[in-house]
Amino acid sequence: MVLTPESGPLESQIHRAIRERVLAGQLAAGDRLPSSRALARALGVARSTIVLAYDRLRAEGFLDARAGSATRVASLPAPPLHGHNAPPPSPASGSPDIVPDALRPGLPDLASFPHAAWARCLGVRARAGRLIDLGYGGRAAGAPELRTAILSHVRATRGVVATPDQVVIVPSIRTAVEAIARIVLSAAADPVAWVEEPGYIPIHTILKTAGARLVPLPCDNDGMDVTHAPGPPPRLICVTPSHQYPTGADMSLRRRLAVLAHAHASGAVVLEDDYDSEFQYDTRPVAALQGIDRTGSIAYLGTFSKILAPGLRVAYAVLPPRLVAPVTDFLSGRGIAVPIHLQLALADFITDGHLRAHIRRMNTLYAERMAGAVAALHRHCATVLIPGPGTGGLQLAARFTDPTRNDRTIARRLWSQGLGVRPLSDYHLGPAQPGLLLGIASATPEAMDRAARVIRACL
């Protein structure tokens, strides 16, 4: 294992090196790893660096460790083989009402937007526009500066493995989903798309518009289960593995490898929507599914709508090489692009460290607000609501203790009280266990306490 300064944080390099050896079979189940002290001495790094890397690998399911015993490689199902033997892909019912923003899921705390740093970056690029940036040509996939900056960010924080040429800039994740779906499904005899149940219904609507036949697969505390998927193989598999929407579950490593195995066997493209996984409150974020893919199956999708603000209208896709040109052609043919000065300002914002600092600051703030939301619901609504653990993200799912309640009716009553919660039934294609989805990003402890009292009174 060779560590180099240009390859990123030492902990991330060690994490990646061990993970790669496990996935390649060079470290087998039950193999004993060196103690943190011994490996730190061998590599010439601080023991705390090894401890952090081991902790991250344990959280992701690659390692087992018990108090007083050695750290060993966990027992895992066989990973997908290298290469791709399957042929490559050929090129809802939500509530319509306008709802208030208080407790509305999916919105970051806009009051905490880093106005000063963003204004400086935007001002510099607006005042010093280069002629090459003001024309039409050569930038359908996005500004190279932003593509490189985004890849550097997701490589360090999410374990993504790619080159800048695989990054495409889009106005929204929905845009990327539409482009990929139309390309992949256009020539499919049976355009099957596996989706999460419950899941993000707007994405389902885009898939259906693109001609997909949706097959919902159930999600539990380990994420989507593809073990007993019915019917013919999929052409698309849509997942939110690092923070399932809306339940908040993290997909287990066993389930992740099963998704990759199915994608490899069928030649499917996996749409990995990593919409807000930067925000984790009880552990370090689990690495992206894309980082353990060895078959070129993953289209990794991210957005700045949750990190910064939805009004920026900037998202990105890290694509398998075979999809880059078709997706870029799709975007340019429809005139879909993010303004160049905005892209360059965002590249500077990332490169200068402002994004990293903002995420660190907001992670602390959101952790406090999530803990306050869970505590307030336990304090005031324990007999009527069962909140989730609230370990990450900007929203919290809470199930009704009485499954006969109509969550859509209750949500409308709460909207009239100024609370923009969503009914959990809106996220199901089939029968649902009713409940509410609450946004926590702007909910101060005092505001959440008042909201919990309103919810209790309504219920």
Side-chain angles (χ1 to χ4, degrees):
M1 187 185 304
V2 179
L3 306 178
T4 58
E6 62 271 15
S7 297
L10 296 178
E11 174 223 332
S12 295
Q13 294 185 55
I14 295 165
H15 164 267
R16 285 196 301 269
I18 296 174
R19 184 186 68 183
E20 296 304 309
R21 285 165 172 75
V22 173
L23 290 170
Q26 297 169 359
L27 289 172
D31 281 358
R32 178 173 177 170
L33 268 64
S35 69
S36 58
R37 196 180 305 279
L39 186 56
R41 188 163 52 247
L43 295 177
V45 300
R47 181 173 175 241
S48 59
T49 301
I50 306 299
V51 170
L52 287 171
Y54 278 8
D55 285 347
R56 188 173 173 186
L57 289 160
R58 277 195 294 270
E60 293 174 359
F62 287 98
L63 301 182
D64 282 333
R66 297 179 180 85
S69 61
T71 298
R72 297 182 182 275
V73 176
S75 176
L76 302 174
L81 300 174
H82 290 259
H84 202 304
N85 297 325
S90 306
S93 60
S95 303
D97 308 62
I98 297 174
V99 298
D101 284 346
L103 299 192
R104 187 174 183 176
L107 283 178
D109 180 17
L110 299 179
S112 297
F113 183 82
H115 289 281
W118 175 249
R120 285 195 298 273
C121 294
L122 194 59
V124 167
R125 288 297 185 171
R127 289 191 300 271
R130 300 173 301 185
L131 291 180
I132 191 174
D133 296 326
L134 300 177
Y136 282 112
R139 300 208 165 195
E145 296 91 334
L146 181 56
R147 298 164 76 188
T148 300
I150 286 174
L151 182 60
S152 177
H153 170 69
V154 296
R155 181 189 289 134
T157 62
R158 307 295 300 120
V160 168
V161 179
T163 64
D165 289 342
Q166 293 173 247
V167 181
V168 176
I169 309 302
V170 289
S172 68
I173 284 180
R174 297 187 192 190
T175 303
V177 171
E178 180 186 6
I180 295 166
R182 290 191 180 277
I183 292 163
V184 172
L185 300 176
S186 60
D190 191 357
V192 173
W194 288 354
V195 296
E196 297 173 324
E197 174 73 348
Y200 189 52
I201 296 298
I203 295 297
H204 298 174
T205 302
I206 292 170
L207 294 175
K208 287 190 287 188
T209 302
R213 183 166 69 85
L214 303 187
V215 176
L217 299 183
C219 293
D220 56 23
N221 291 336
D222 287 327
M224 186 169 78
D225 186 0
V226 301
T227 308
H228 305 293
R235 304 305 296 153
L236 285 173
I237 304 174
C238 302
V239 291
T240 51
S242 297
H243 191 227
Q244 202 278 326
Y245 196 93
T247 67
D250 288 334
M251 185 180 285
S252 67
L253 180 59
R254 187 172 297 274
R255 294 270 179 91
R256 289 171 182 244
L257 292 176
V259 167
L260 292 176
H262 274 281
H264 172 65
S266 63
V269 172
V270 179
L271 296 178
E272 179 181 8
D273 184 351
D274 207 30
Y275 62 99
D276 73 352
S277 58
E278 287 89 353
F279 302 122
Q280 291 289 326
Y281 311 136
D282 64 343
T283 183
R284 180 165 181 158
V286 174
L289 181 62
Q290 193 271 358
I292 61 174
D293 175 34
R294 295 296 173 273
T295 63
S297 301
I298 307 290
Y300 174 85
L301 311 178
T303 178
F304 293 95
S305 293
K306 306 299 186 289
I307 306 175
L308 291 170
L312 293 182
R313 303 295 293 165
V314 184
Y316 55 90
V318 183
L319 301 172
R322 68 181 185 276
L323 285 179
V324 173
V327 168
T328 303
D329 290 344
F330 178 94
L331 298 174
S332 61
R334 288 159 177 78
I336 299 172
V338 175
I340 189 65
H341 69 288
L342 199 65
Q343 292 191 51
L344 296 174
L346 183 55
D348 295 341
F349 188 84
I350 298 171
T351 304
D352 293 347
H354 300 304
L355 181 68
R356 183 172 60 251
H358 180 69
I359 291 173
R360 185 167 57 247
R361 183 168 59 251
M362 298 311 295
N363 204 64
T364 300
L365 179 64
Y366 291 151
E368 294 172 353
R369 291 181 176 177
M370 179 66 81
V374 173
L377 293 180
H378 280 305
R379 186 162 56 247
H380 297 295
C381 304
T383 60
V384 290
L385 278 178
I386 305 171
T391 55
L394 305 182
Q395 52 277 324
L396 175 67
R399 304 283 185 182
F400 291 156
T401 56
D402 179 0
T404 65
R405 291 183 183 272
N406 186 316
D407 55 3
R408 290 190 172 102
T409 299
I410 290 168
R412 285 186 174 86
R413 291 176 184 167
L414 291 171
W415 297 346
S416 70
Q417 300 293 315
L419 301 182
V421 301
R422 301 296 308 202
L424 285 179
S425 296
D426 277 4
Y427 301 95
H428 287 261
L429 294 174
Q433 183 180 350
L436 302 173
L437 187 66
L438 302 83
I440 60 89
S442 300
T444 64
E446 297 78 12
M448 190 62 226
D449 192 80
R450 291 193 298 271
R453 294 174 184 270
V454 171
I455 293 170
R456 181 185 63 184
C458 182
L459 289 170

